[in-house]
């Protein structure tokens, strides 16, 4: 028997020899297959509707537009499918370990190797397909809330490693036998993460912080004094995340004296919801801008709540993007990434 090729980007351990290997197995996800099938069904449905509607009335142009949209979706699905077909997986079996080698589609991508130590019950499930191909499941990978089975998948009869498993003392599960699989998780840097979603959320938090920071800046940097409420001006503001509603707000008109002796009348930028909190003539603490005394707000700690939450969200998203970039940079320096799967 000829020596199998070595798909691993590293040398095996001393005394470890390669027994079997398979390469060039296309890898496509279930999501891509569903996208392909769904686009084809939508294409057929839109074509039938367009033909029926054109024969009956002039509204068929709408269905033709829908047909073009579906064609675009189909083209996008085809592009995704063709790109994913460039991704390859290699399987290998030595006298000590079983390997799954994932090669990304990008030429500069780093291969990921999953290493399973050989043990008598390492195959927790064996499946023979209707076309004669077979699956040897070695472990289960956790991806967020999903758990995916990993192993030697969709092997043709001429690629069957059954004799090598027998040589290593590995027994296949009998019909109805349930074995406990190895459950593992990739390092966080290798998991698919929504980078663009985090970046978009970071921008939203930055915009929100910019829009609501004026009152907070005035509160933190302004000159504090005591003012007398002269009157109120009634206004409305929209509140609530869901089902935005209008709330009546009473903005106090205050009279105060600045630090340099000027008397000012100004409308507070911050008011009281639903009902005035104080009667006219009541003295309340305020904060004003020394350069522009007409820029006034009542001194209320709740002014800092919304900007504070926006700032915390901005820092949290920024820190997440920074740590993710830093971790990926560390992984990119490696010639490959090896994930050793611990045996129970």
């Amino acid at each position: 028997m000829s020596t199998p090729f070595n798909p691993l980007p590293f040398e095996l351990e001393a005394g470890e020899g390669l027994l079997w290997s398979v390469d060039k197995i296309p890898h496509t996800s279930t999501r891509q297959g569903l996208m392909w099938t769904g686009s084809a069904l939508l294409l057929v449905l839109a074509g039938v509707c367009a033909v029926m509607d054109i024969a009956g009335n002039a509204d068929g142009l709408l269905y033709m537009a829908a047909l073009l949209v579906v064609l675009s979706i189909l083209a996008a699905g085809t592009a995704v499918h063709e790109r994913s077909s460039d991704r390859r997986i290699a399987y290998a079996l030595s006298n000590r370990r079983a390997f799954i080698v994932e090669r990304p589609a990008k030429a500069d991508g780093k291969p990921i190797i999953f290493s399973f130590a050989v043990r008598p019950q390492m195959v927790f499930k064996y499946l023979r397909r209707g076309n004669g191909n077979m699956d040897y499941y070695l472990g289960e990978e956790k991806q967020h809330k999903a758990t995916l089975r990993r192993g030697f998948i969709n092997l043709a009869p001429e690629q069957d490693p059954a004799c090598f498993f027998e040589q290593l003392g590995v027994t296949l599960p009998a019909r109805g036998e349930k074995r406990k699989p190895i459950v593992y998780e990739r390092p966080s840097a290798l998991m698919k993460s929504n980078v663009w979603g985090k970046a978009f959320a970071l921008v939203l938090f930055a915009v929100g912080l910019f829009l609501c920071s004026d009152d907070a800046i005035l509160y933190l940097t302004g000159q504090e004094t005591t003012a007398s409420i002269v009157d109120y001006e009634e206004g409305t503001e929209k509140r609530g995340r869901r089902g935005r509603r209008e709330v009546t707000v009473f903005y106090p008109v205050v009279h105060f004296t600045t630090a340099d002796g000027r008397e000012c009348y100004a409308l507070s930028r911050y008011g009281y919801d639903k009902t005035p909190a104080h009667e006219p003539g009541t003295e309340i603490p305020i904060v004003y801008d020394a350069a522009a005394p007409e820029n006034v707000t009542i001194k209320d700690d709740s002014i800092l709540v919304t900007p504070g939450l926006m700032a915390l969200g901005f820092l949290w998203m920024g820190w997440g993007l920074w740590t993710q970039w830093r971790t990926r940079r560390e992984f990119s320096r490696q010639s490959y990434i090896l994930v050793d799967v611990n045996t129970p």
Side-chain angles (χ1 to χ4, degrees), residues 83-287:
R83 178 167 180 80
S84 65
S85 297
D86 294 336
R87 185 179 179 89
R88 293 292 185 266
I89 293 184
Y91 303 139
L93 185 64
S94 74
N95 57 340
R96 295 181 183 176
R97 291 178 289 178
F99 300 94
I100 301 175
V101 184
E102 292 188 1
R103 291 190 178 91
K106 294 183 179 179
D108 58 345
K110 310 301 178 184
I112 303 171
I113 301 98
F114 298 93
S115 171
F116 298 82
V118 170
R119 57 190 180 90
Q121 293 190 338
M122 67 181 302
V123 180
F124 75 90
K125 185 173 183 179
Y126 170 74
L127 176 64
R128 182 174 290 276
R129 304 190 178 199
N131 60 358
N133 291 2
M134 56 215 75
D135 301 333
Y136 294 86
Y137 293 104
L138 307 177
E140 292 184 347
E141 178 185 356
K142 283 188 175 180
Q143 288 190 4
H144 302 291
K145 296 181 179 180
T147 302
L148 307 177
R149 291 174 176 174
R150 301 298 187 193
F152 302 156
I153 309 300
N154 199 21
L155 298 177
E158 62 272 13
Q159 300 170 335
D160 190 1
C163 60
F164 299 103
F165 278 126
E166 184 179 356
Q167 178 181 338
L168 296 173
V170 178
T171 59
L172 300 183
R175 182 181 297 274
E177 179 184 359
K178 293 184 178 180
R179 293 181 178 178
K180 186 177 180 180
I182 298 173
V183 181
Y184 64 94
E185 189 171 358
R186 304 191 193 197
S188 58
L190 304 179
M191 298 295 293
K192 291 183 178 180
S193 55
N194 191 1
V195 178
W196 292 109
K198 289 183 179 179
F200 182 68
L202 181 68
V203 173
L204 289 182
F205 278 119
V207 173
L209 181 61
F210 174 77
L211 293 177
C212 66
S213 61
D214 288 347
D215 290 340
I217 293 175
L218 178 61
Y219 181 90
L220 295 173
T221 63
Q223 186 77 30
E224 184 176 351
T225 188
T226 300
S228 176
I229 298 178
V230 178
D231 199 358
Y232 286 94
E233 286 192 10
E234 184 177 334
T236 58
E237 292 183 4
K238 290 186 177 181
R239 303 287 174 82
R241 295 182 180 178
R242 298 180 180 178
R244 303 278 287 178
R245 66 186 188 280
E246 286 191 352
V247 176
T248 302
V249 181
F250 293 88
Y251 301 96
V253 179
V254 295
H255 170 249
F256 63 97
T257 303
T258 63
D260 55 4
R262 289 182 294 171
E263 290 191 3
C264 295
Y265 289 87
L267 179 66
S268 173
R269 298 177 54 170
Y270 193 80
Y272 302 105
D273 291 357
K274 299 181 180 179
T275 58
H278 307 282
E279 295 291 334
T282 305
E283 291 191 346
I284 60 172
I286 65 167
V287 178

Side-chain angles (χ1 to χ4, degrees), residues 5 45 57-58 93 121 146 182 201 219 224 227 229 281 296-297 304 307 314 316 327:
F5 71 95
L45 179 61
N57 53 61
L93 185 64
Q121 293 190 338
I182 298 173
Y219 181 90
E224 184 176 351
I229 298 178
V296 176
T297 183
L304 301 178
F314 178 81
W316 179 54
T327 309

